[in-house]
mmCIF file of all heavy atoms in Angstrom:
data_model
loop_
_atom_site.group_PDB
_atom_site.id
_atom_site.type_symbol
_atom_site.label_atom_id
_atom_site.label_comp_id
_atom_site.label_asym_id
_atom_site.label_seq_id
_atom_site.Cartn_x
_atom_site.Cartn_y
_atom_site.Cartn_z
ATOM 1 N N ASP A 236 38.899 25.010 10.633
ATOM 2 C CA ASP A 236 37.889 24.361 11.333
ATOM 3 C C ASP A 236 36.485 24.343 10.606
ATOM 4 O O ASP A 236 35.776 25.453 10.701
ATOM 5 C CB ASP A 236 37.728 25.019 12.771
ATOM 6 C CG ASP A 236 36.850 24.140 13.714
ATOM 7 O OD1 ASP A 236 36.214 23.271 13.177
ATOM 8 O OD2 ASP A 236 36.854 24.377 14.913
ATOM 9 N N TRP A 237 36.151 23.376 9.980
ATOM 10 C CA TRP A 237 34.928 23.269 9.227
ATOM 11 C C TRP A 237 33.767 22.988 10.039
ATOM 12 O O TRP A 237 32.683 22.869 9.567
ATOM 13 C CB TRP A 237 35.126 22.308 8.047
ATOM 14 C CG TRP A 237 36.046 22.655 7.020
ATOM 15 C CD1 TRP A 237 36.776 23.827 6.930
ATOM 16 C CD2 TRP A 237 36.472 21.840 5.863
ATOM 17 N NE1 TRP A 237 37.480 23.811 5.798
ATOM 18 C CE2 TRP A 237 37.375 22.572 5.084
ATOM 19 C CE3 TRP A 237 36.091 20.668 5.359
ATOM 20 C CZ2 TRP A 237 37.974 22.092 3.926
ATOM 21 C CZ3 TRP A 237 36.656 20.097 4.162
ATOM 22 C CH2 TRP A 237 37.627 20.903 3.455
ATOM 23 N N SER A 238 33.966 22.702 11.336
ATOM 24 C CA SER A 238 32.786 22.393 12.197
ATOM 25 C C SER A 238 32.039 23.667 12.563
ATOM 26 O O SER A 238 30.922 23.490 13.081
ATOM 27 C CB SER A 238 33.348 21.739 13.530
ATOM 28 O OG SER A 238 34.065 22.643 14.318
ATOM 29 N N LYS A 239 32.622 24.823 12.452
ATOM 30 C CA LYS A 239 31.925 26.058 12.727
ATOM 31 C C LYS A 239 30.871 26.397 11.845
ATOM 32 O O LYS A 239 30.765 25.861 10.687
ATOM 33 C CB LYS A 239 32.989 27.214 12.906
ATOM 34 C CG LYS A 239 34.114 26.920 13.842
ATOM 35 C CD LYS A 239 33.543 26.538 15.245
ATOM 36 C CE LYS A 239 34.620 26.372 16.264
ATOM 37 N NZ LYS A 239 34.221 25.868 17.530
ATOM 38 N N GLY A 240 29.972 27.397 12.218
ATOM 39 C CA GLY A 240 28.828 27.689 11.349
ATOM 40 C C GLY A 240 29.114 28.584 10.260
ATOM 41 O O GLY A 240 30.122 29.431 10.237
ATOM 42 N N ARG A 241 28.301 28.561 9.221
ATOM 43 C CA ARG A 241 28.409 29.510 8.131
ATOM 44 C C ARG A 241 26.943 29.580 7.493
ATOM 45 O O ARG A 241 26.360 28.594 7.241
ATOM 46 C CB ARG A 241 29.353 28.912 7.021
ATOM 47 C CG ARG A 241 29.569 29.809 5.854
ATOM 48 C CD ARG A 241 30.440 29.187 4.771
ATOM 49 N NE ARG A 241 30.471 30.032 3.581
ATOM 50 C CZ ARG A 241 30.650 29.511 2.392
ATOM 51 N NH1 ARG A 241 30.928 28.238 2.208
ATOM 52 N NH2 ARG A 241 30.663 30.362 1.342
ATOM 53 N N VAL A 242 26.519 30.817 7.320
ATOM 54 C CA VAL A 242 25.312 31.077 6.575
ATOM 55 C C VAL A 242 25.613 31.792 5.226
ATOM 56 O O VAL A 242 26.082 32.953 5.241
ATOM 57 C CB VAL A 242 24.373 31.970 7.425
ATOM 58 C CG1 VAL A 242 23.025 32.190 6.621
ATOM 59 C CG2 VAL A 242 24.052 31.312 8.769
ATOM 60 N N THR A 243 25.467 31.055 4.219
ATOM 61 C CA THR A 243 25.719 31.593 2.904
ATOM 62 C C THR A 243 24.593 32.528 2.476
ATOM 63 O O THR A 243 23.460 32.477 2.988
ATOM 64 C CB THR A 243 25.821 30.554 1.824
ATOM 65 O OG1 THR A 243 24.667 29.870 1.648
ATOM 66 C CG2 THR A 243 27.018 29.585 2.216
ATOM 67 N N ARG A 244 24.822 33.432 1.568
ATOM 68 C CA ARG A 244 23.736 34.271 1.071
ATOM 69 C C ARG A 244 22.692 33.516 0.447
ATOM 70 O O ARG A 244 21.436 33.758 0.477
ATOM 71 C CB ARG A 244 24.308 35.298 0.035
ATOM 72 C CG ARG A 244 25.185 36.303 0.617
ATOM 73 C CD ARG A 244 25.632 37.436 -0.357
ATOM 74 N NE ARG A 244 26.476 38.408 0.317
ATOM 75 C CZ ARG A 244 26.028 39.413 1.015
ATOM 76 N NH1 ARG A 244 24.736 39.593 1.249
ATOM 77 N NH2 ARG A 244 26.905 40.280 1.518
ATOM 78 N N ARG A 245 23.007 32.356 -0.271
ATOM 79 C CA ARG A 245 21.921 31.512 -0.883
ATOM 80 C C ARG A 245 21.074 30.841 0.232
ATOM 81 O O ARG A 245 19.855 30.820 0.025
ATOM 82 C CB ARG A 245 22.628 30.495 -1.693
ATOM 83 C CG ARG A 245 21.676 29.446 -2.345
ATOM 84 C CD ARG A 245 22.450 28.513 -3.229
ATOM 85 N NE ARG A 245 21.539 27.551 -3.923
ATOM 86 C CZ ARG A 245 21.943 26.544 -4.666
ATOM 87 N NH1 ARG A 245 23.252 26.334 -4.948
ATOM 88 N NH2 ARG A 245 21.040 25.739 -5.228
ATOM 89 N N ALA A 246 21.677 30.341 1.279
ATOM 90 C CA ALA A 246 20.907 29.750 2.391
ATOM 91 C C ALA A 246 20.033 30.751 2.986
ATOM 92 O O ALA A 246 18.872 30.445 3.286
ATOM 93 C CB ALA A 246 21.844 29.176 3.436
ATOM 94 N N LEU A 247 20.554 31.965 3.279
ATOM 95 C CA LEU A 247 19.744 32.996 3.886
ATOM 96 C C LEU A 247 18.565 33.436 3.030
ATOM 97 O O LEU A 247 17.430 33.597 3.394
ATOM 98 C CB LEU A 247 20.562 34.228 4.266
ATOM 99 C CG LEU A 247 19.861 35.372 4.861
ATOM 100 C CD1 LEU A 247 19.164 34.980 6.155
ATOM 101 C CD2 LEU A 247 20.794 36.465 5.103
ATOM 102 N N ASP A 248 18.838 33.525 1.686
ATOM 103 C CA ASP A 248 17.840 33.997 0.707
ATOM 104 C C ASP A 248 16.684 32.910 0.687
ATOM 105 O O ASP A 248 15.539 33.249 0.546
ATOM 106 C CB ASP A 248 18.405 34.165 -0.668
ATOM 107 C CG ASP A 248 19.224 35.434 -0.776
ATOM 108 O OD1 ASP A 248 19.111 36.321 0.127
ATOM 109 O OD2 ASP A 248 19.954 35.589 -1.812
ATOM 110 N N THR A 249 17.115 31.654 0.730
ATOM 111 C CA THR A 249 16.042 30.594 0.770
ATOM 112 C C THR A 249 15.136 30.672 1.946
ATOM 113 O O THR A 249 13.909 30.584 1.853
ATOM 114 C CB THR A 249 16.710 29.235 0.657
ATOM 115 O OG1 THR A 249 17.592 29.123 -0.484
ATOM 116 C CG2 THR A 249 15.783 28.088 0.794
ATOM 117 N N THR A 250 15.783 30.908 3.132
ATOM 118 C CA THR A 250 15.004 31.058 4.323
ATOM 119 C C THR A 250 14.099 32.335 4.271
ATOM 120 O O THR A 250 12.929 32.199 4.661
ATOM 121 C CB THR A 250 15.922 31.105 5.554
ATOM 122 O OG1 THR A 250 16.672 29.801 5.627
ATOM 123 C CG2 THR A 250 15.099 31.299 6.866
ATOM 124 N N LEU A 251 14.676 33.389 3.851
ATOM 125 C CA LEU A 251 13.797 34.626 3.770
ATOM 126 C C LEU A 251 12.676 34.516 2.751
ATOM 127 O O LEU A 251 11.572 35.036 3.027
ATOM 128 C CB LEU A 251 14.644 35.811 3.468
ATOM 129 C CG LEU A 251 15.861 36.201 4.408
ATOM 130 C CD1 LEU A 251 16.676 37.355 3.883
ATOM 131 C CD2 LEU A 251 15.265 36.486 5.798
ATOM 132 N N ALA A 252 12.899 33.825 1.661
ATOM 133 C CA ALA A 252 11.826 33.623 0.724
ATOM 134 C C ALA A 252 10.731 32.819 1.294
ATOM 135 O O ALA A 252 9.507 33.119 1.063
ATOM 136 C CB ALA A 252 12.416 32.986 -0.553
ATOM 137 N N ALA A 253 11.069 31.755 2.040
ATOM 138 C CA ALA A 253 10.081 30.922 2.652
ATOM 139 C C ALA A 253 9.228 31.733 3.705
ATOM 140 O O ALA A 253 8.054 31.633 3.763
ATOM 141 C CB ALA A 253 10.669 29.728 3.393
ATOM 142 N N ILE A 254 9.927 32.625 4.461
ATOM 143 C CA ILE A 254 9.199 33.502 5.437
ATOM 144 C C ILE A 254 8.331 34.481 4.697
ATOM 145 O O ILE A 254 7.109 34.605 5.056
ATOM 146 C CB ILE A 254 10.208 34.257 6.330
ATOM 147 C CG1 ILE A 254 11.007 33.292 7.231
ATOM 148 C CG2 ILE A 254 9.542 35.322 7.144
ATOM 149 C CD1 ILE A 254 12.168 33.945 7.917
ATOM 150 N N ASP A 255 8.756 35.069 3.611
ATOM 151 C CA ASP A 255 8.062 36.086 2.857
ATOM 152 C C ASP A 255 6.769 35.450 2.209
ATOM 153 O O ASP A 255 5.858 36.156 1.928
ATOM 154 C CB ASP A 255 8.870 36.782 1.785
ATOM 155 C CG ASP A 255 9.958 37.623 2.452
ATOM 156 O OD1 ASP A 255 9.851 37.954 3.641
ATOM 157 O OD2 ASP A 255 10.967 37.933 1.724
ATOM 158 N N ALA A 256 6.812 34.096 1.976
ATOM 159 C CA ALA A 256 5.655 33.446 1.340
ATOM 160 C C ALA A 256 4.504 33.160 2.301
ATOM 161 O O ALA A 256 3.507 32.712 1.948
ATOM 162 C CB ALA A 256 6.123 32.202 0.623
ATOM 163 N N LEU A 257 4.800 33.216 3.618
ATOM 164 C CA LEU A 257 3.869 32.882 4.631
ATOM 165 C C LEU A 257 2.716 33.889 4.685
ATOM 166 O O LEU A 257 2.944 35.099 4.356
ATOM 167 C CB LEU A 257 4.448 32.762 5.959
ATOM 168 C CG LEU A 257 5.467 31.615 6.100
ATOM 169 C CD1 LEU A 257 6.313 31.732 7.452
ATOM 170 C CD2 LEU A 257 4.857 30.253 6.030
ATOM 171 N N PRO A 258 1.517 33.489 5.112
ATOM 172 C CA PRO A 258 0.419 34.445 5.290
ATOM 173 C C PRO A 258 0.794 35.508 6.297
ATOM 174 O O PRO A 258 1.489 35.259 7.317
ATOM 175 C CB PRO A 258 -0.727 33.581 5.878
ATOM 176 C CG PRO A 258 -0.455 32.233 5.348
ATOM 177 C CD PRO A 258 1.066 32.132 5.475
ATOM 178 N N PRO A 259 0.328 36.783 6.141
ATOM 179 C CA PRO A 259 0.583 37.775 7.043
ATOM 180 C C PRO A 259 0.131 37.404 8.451
ATOM 181 O O PRO A 259 -0.989 36.817 8.604
ATOM 182 C CB PRO A 259 -0.192 38.995 6.508
ATOM 183 C CG PRO A 259 -0.331 38.771 5.063
ATOM 184 C CD PRO A 259 -0.434 37.203 4.936
ATOM 185 N N GLY A 260 0.906 37.807 9.497
ATOM 186 C CA GLY A 260 0.505 37.487 10.829
ATOM 187 C C GLY A 260 0.967 36.159 11.305
ATOM 188 O O GLY A 260 0.760 35.874 12.493
ATOM 189 N N THR A 261 1.657 35.389 10.541
ATOM 190 C CA THR A 261 2.136 34.071 10.943
ATOM 191 C C THR A 261 3.327 34.251 11.917
ATOM 192 O O THR A 261 4.199 35.046 11.659
ATOM 193 C CB THR A 261 2.613 33.220 9.720
ATOM 194 O OG1 THR A 261 1.510 33.040 8.863
ATOM 195 C CG2 THR A 261 3.187 31.812 10.170
ATOM 196 N N THR A 262 3.227 33.553 13.030
ATOM 197 C CA THR A 262 4.359 33.475 14.013
ATOM 198 C C THR A 262 5.444 32.600 13.345
ATOM 199 O O THR A 262 5.117 31.450 12.971
ATOM 200 C CB THR A 262 3.933 32.971 15.334
ATOM 201 O OG1 THR A 262 2.980 33.842 15.862
ATOM 202 C CG2 THR A 262 5.103 32.908 16.252
ATOM 203 N N VAL A 263 6.673 33.144 13.242
ATOM 204 C CA VAL A 263 7.762 32.297 12.601
ATOM 205 C C VAL A 263 8.805 31.983 13.614
ATOM 206 O O VAL A 263 9.353 32.790 14.346
ATOM 207 C CB VAL A 263 8.291 33.123 11.441
ATOM 208 C CG1 VAL A 263 9.449 32.287 10.713
ATOM 209 C CG2 VAL A 263 7.246 33.505 10.415
ATOM 210 N N LEU A 264 9.216 30.666 13.592
ATOM 211 C CA LEU A 264 10.447 30.205 14.251
ATOM 212 C C LEU A 264 11.342 29.693 13.182
ATOM 213 O O LEU A 264 10.963 29.037 12.287
ATOM 214 C CB LEU A 264 10.069 29.008 15.175
ATOM 215 C CG LEU A 264 9.162 29.354 16.432
ATOM 216 C CD1 LEU A 264 8.815 28.078 17.173
ATOM 217 C CD2 LEU A 264 9.787 30.436 17.407
ATOM 218 N N VAL A 265 12.655 30.005 13.308
ATOM 219 C CA VAL A 265 13.681 29.669 12.441
ATOM 220 C C VAL A 265 14.567 28.640 13.032
ATOM 221 O O VAL A 265 14.992 28.744 14.178
ATOM 222 C CB VAL A 265 14.460 30.800 11.864
ATOM 223 C CG1 VAL A 265 15.732 30.281 11.040
ATOM 224 C CG2 VAL A 265 13.641 31.699 11.033
ATOM 225 N N ALA A 266 14.794 27.468 12.473
ATOM 226 C CA ALA A 266 15.564 26.406 12.979
ATOM 227 C C ALA A 266 16.831 26.170 12.225
ATOM 228 O O ALA A 266 16.817 25.939 11.005
ATOM 229 C CB ALA A 266 14.804 25.127 13.037
ATOM 230 N N GLY A 267 18.000 26.122 12.872
ATOM 231 C CA GLY A 267 19.256 25.871 12.303
ATOM 232 C C GLY A 267 20.168 25.104 13.311
ATOM 233 O O GLY A 267 19.701 24.749 14.367
#
C-alpha cells in the first residue's frame, strides 16, 4: 500500500534544517 505515509531521513533533515535556520523565538507550524 503506497498510499500510506513515509518520512525519509532526507525529508526530515530538510524540514529540520529549515526550522534551525529560523530566527530564535519563531513559532513554528509544520505542514505535511
